[in-house]
Amino acid sequence: MSLVVPEGSNVFKNRMEKARALRKFKEGLPKSPSKRCAVISTYLARRSPRSPTIANLKHSVSPVEMAVVADIQEIIKSTKLKRSKNARSVMNSVTASISGENLANSRGKIKLCKNLGLPARRVAGGQRIRSRILKSESSAWALTQQKTRKDSISEETKKTVYNFWLSDGISHPTGNKSDIKRERLGPNLYTSHMTHVLEKTQTEKYIDLQLCLNSDTVFDF
């Protein structure tokens, strides 16, 4: 947010007069940037909101902020009147994302509701959802505890495939000592193994793997 003078207000006769006034203003301020900000903010804070100095100032919003607000307004407009479970989840996500602690501290909830076309009760509900999710014990484990798909690979199948590729007759080392695969696991921690080549074609190995999966073959090492 920045403060600008509205267009059409001819305060100065020309640009040179404005430049000279700006130079005098800068010379009168302290040299430290922090002190300059403190002096200007204190001066504006002590002025009456109805004074011409403050009334002629307005807040300008960047195009990026306007685009983000417009996108949120479109989402809310298209889903707030729907009663489906998916639409309700979308609205809960939107209200929870815009109802943080910064909004509560700035006391701008009513203004936000007017801009987005939402009742204050809906935004307050989003704030409760946000607090409940972030403070719950399972929030950090939501990804690991989510339900898996019905067609996902089971742990038994993964173990069978892993043991199949470790069994004899699948591959053998190249015999060249320089053919080594190395992978970094962490700081000063590496793992390496010899490069292997298949003893059969990939199609033949795929058929053998399908037979092992269908026959539930157990590999012993």
Side-chain angles (χ1 to χ4, degrees), residues 31-115:
K31 295 183 179 181
S32 174
S34 58
K35 291 182 179 180
R36 287 187 179 186
C37 294
V39 170
I40 295 175
S41 61
T42 304
Y43 172 76
L44 294 177
R46 291 181 178 179
R47 301 287 294 182
S48 174
R50 297 182 180 180
S51 64
T53 305
I54 304 299
N56 289 334
L57 296 176
K58 68 177 182 179
H59 292 283
S60 64
V61 184
S62 64
V64 177
E65 295 175 352
M66 295 177 62
V68 172
V69 174
D71 291 340
I72 297 176
Q73 289 175 346
E74 291 181 1
I75 295 175
I76 293 175
K77 185 177 180 180
S78 60
T79 57
K80 69 177 182 179
L81 298 179
K82 296 180 180 179
R83 293 294 179 265
S84 63
K85 186 176 181 180
N86 188 20
R88 193 179 298 111
S89 300
V90 172
M91 284 300 303
N92 290 338
S93 301
V94 172
T95 54
S97 61
I98 63 177
S99 304
E101 296 179 355
N102 295 328
L103 179 64
N105 296 334
S106 63
R107 298 181 180 179
K109 188 184 300 182
I110 302 299
K111 187 175 181 180
L112 176 66
C113 295
K114 291 181 180 179
N115 293 336

Side-chain angles (χ1 to χ4, degrees), residues 52-215:
T53 305
I54 304 299
N56 289 334
L57 296 176
K58 68 177 182 179
H59 292 283
S60 64
V61 184
S62 64
V64 177
E65 295 175 352
M66 295 177 62
V68 172
V69 174
D71 291 340
I72 297 176
Q73 289 175 346
E74 291 181 1
I75 295 175
I76 293 175
K77 185 177 180 180
S78 60
T79 57
K80 69 177 182 179
L81 298 179
K82 296 180 180 179
R83 293 294 179 265
S84 63
K85 186 176 181 180
N86 188 20
R88 193 179 298 111
S89 300
V90 172
M91 284 300 303
N92 290 338
S93 301
V94 172
T95 54
S97 61
I98 63 177
S99 304
E101 296 179 355
N102 295 328
L103 179 64
N105 296 334
S106 63
R107 298 181 180 179
K109 188 184 300 182
I110 302 299
K111 187 175 181 180
L112 176 66
C113 295
K114 291 181 180 179
N115 293 336
L116 299 180
L118 287 175
R121 184 179 299 178
R122 196 86 181 250
V123 177
Q127 190 172 4
R128 289 193 297 269
I129 294 174
R130 180 190 181 97
S131 301
R132 184 175 68 250
I133 293 176
L134 295 180
K135 294 181 180 180
S136 62
E137 296 181 358
S138 61
S139 60
W141 304 98
L143 181 61
T144 58
Q145 294 180 353
Q146 64 182 0
K147 295 182 179 179
T148 58
R149 293 174 51 179
K150 294 181 179 180
D151 58 346
S152 61
I153 301 176
S154 62
E155 294 296 331
E156 296 179 356
T157 304
K158 292 180 181 179
K159 187 176 181 180
T160 303
V161 174
Y162 176 78
N163 293 333
F164 172 80
W165 287 106
L166 291 181
S167 60
D168 297 332
I170 302 298
S171 61
H172 64 272
T174 60
N176 190 350
K177 295 182 179 180
S178 61
D179 292 342
I180 297 178
K181 292 294 184 180
R182 190 183 185 192
E183 184 178 356
R184 183 176 182 271
L185 301 179
N188 299 326
L189 182 61
Y190 297 89
T191 181
S192 60
H193 62 84
M194 296 293 296
T195 303
H196 284 235
V197 293
L198 294 176
E199 296 183 358
K200 296 182 180 180
T201 62
Q202 293 184 359
T203 303
E204 293 174 341
K205 293 302 179 183
Y206 177 77
I207 295 175
D208 294 341
L209 178 61
Q210 290 293 329
L211 295 176
C212 293
L213 294 176
N214 295 332
S215 61

